[in-house]
């Protein structure tokens, strides 16, 4: 099943119905509500005392790849996209980004936070079960 959230394609064809990784349902639901209801969440992340909100929504994590000179024609495969802390940066820099995440809830957070990008597909499922098609110039595994 394929869904669209804004411009993002959410591919649920490999999702087994179970989120096997989570920071907890309550905090991830809170993250989902933040990204659904606010266009910018940097201030929310800066002012929060809840570590998962700071960790997942701060732009500081983008520093890990912000400096890298990806080309606009590049295709990037992101394995373990989580809540999308790096995904938006990749979508800004590359022509195509395919992100893989085992958790549907985290994929929803990622999709809502990055819904403006029409070059992003998020595939929900276990990496070992997903048939990856096409070629990629880069593959990232950050924090996985």
């Amino acid at each position: 099943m394929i869904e669209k959230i804004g411009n993002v394609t959410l591919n649920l064809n490999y999702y087994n119905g179970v989120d096997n990784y989570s920071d907890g349902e309550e905090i991830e639901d809170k993250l989902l509500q933040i990204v659904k209801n606010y266009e910018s969440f940097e201030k929310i992340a800066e002012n929060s005392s809840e570590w998962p909100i700071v960790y997942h929504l701060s732009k500081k994590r983008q520093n890990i790849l912000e400096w890298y000179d990806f080309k606009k024609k590049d295709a990037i495969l992101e394995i373990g996209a989580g809540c999308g802390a790096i995904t938006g940066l990749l979508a800004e820099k590359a022509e195509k980004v395919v992100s893989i995440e085992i958790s549907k809830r985290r994929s929803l957070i990622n999709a809502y936070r990055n819904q403006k990008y029409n070059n992003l597909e998020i595939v929900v499922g276990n990496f070992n079960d997903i048939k990856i098609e096409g070629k990629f110039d880069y593959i990232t595994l950050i924090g996985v």
Side-chain angles (χ1 to χ4, degrees), residues 3-140:
E3 291 182 17
K4 288 292 269 189
I5 296 177
N7 294 314
V8 173
T9 299
L10 188 64
N11 181 335
L12 298 164
N13 290 330
Y14 298 95
Y15 182 56
N16 69 6
V18 178
D19 284 2
N20 292 318
Y21 187 83
S22 173
D23 283 335
E25 192 172 317
E26 183 179 330
I27 194 67
E28 289 188 1
D29 284 344
K30 190 172 190 176
L31 287 163
L32 183 57
Q33 289 309 309
I34 291 170
V35 298
K36 277 183 167 183
N37 294 309
Y38 297 93
E39 209 169 293
S40 174
F41 12 86
E42 186 67 18
K43 291 273 188 220
I44 294 170
E46 286 176 10
N47 295 318
S48 180
S49 61
E50 295 177 275
W51 171 246
I53 290 176
V54 175
Y55 180 77
H56 291 296
L57 297 183
S58 172
K59 286 192 172 200
K60 290 178 183 168
R61 288 185 55 210
Q62 291 183 356
N63 290 336
I64 197 164
L65 285 177
E66 192 168 41
W67 60 273
Y68 194 80
D69 188 25
F70 293 105
K71 306 296 183 236
K72 195 60 185 164
K73 65 170 182 53
D74 288 339
I76 301 173
L77 176 63
E78 178 186 32
I79 301 171
C83 297
I86 309 296
T87 308
L89 173 73
L90 298 176
E92 285 176 16
K93 291 181 169 254
E95 181 177 345
K96 175 183 175 184
V97 177
V98 176
S99 297
I100 297 175
E101 173 55 41
I102 199 165
S103 162
K104 181 180 179 184
R105 186 182 304 113
R106 285 176 170 233
S107 296
L108 287 169
I109 294 166
N110 190 349
Y112 277 102
R113 99 184 271 174
N114 292 302
Q115 63 183 303
K116 68 182 180 183
Y117 298 108
N118 61 5
N119 60 340
L120 174 59
E121 176 184 6
I122 301 171
V123 182
V124 184
N126 186 314
F127 173 76
N128 294 316
D129 300 331
I130 296 171
K131 182 179 180 193
I132 299 170
E133 297 180 10
K135 293 185 178 183
F136 295 91
D137 299 292
Y138 297 93
I139 300 172
T140 66

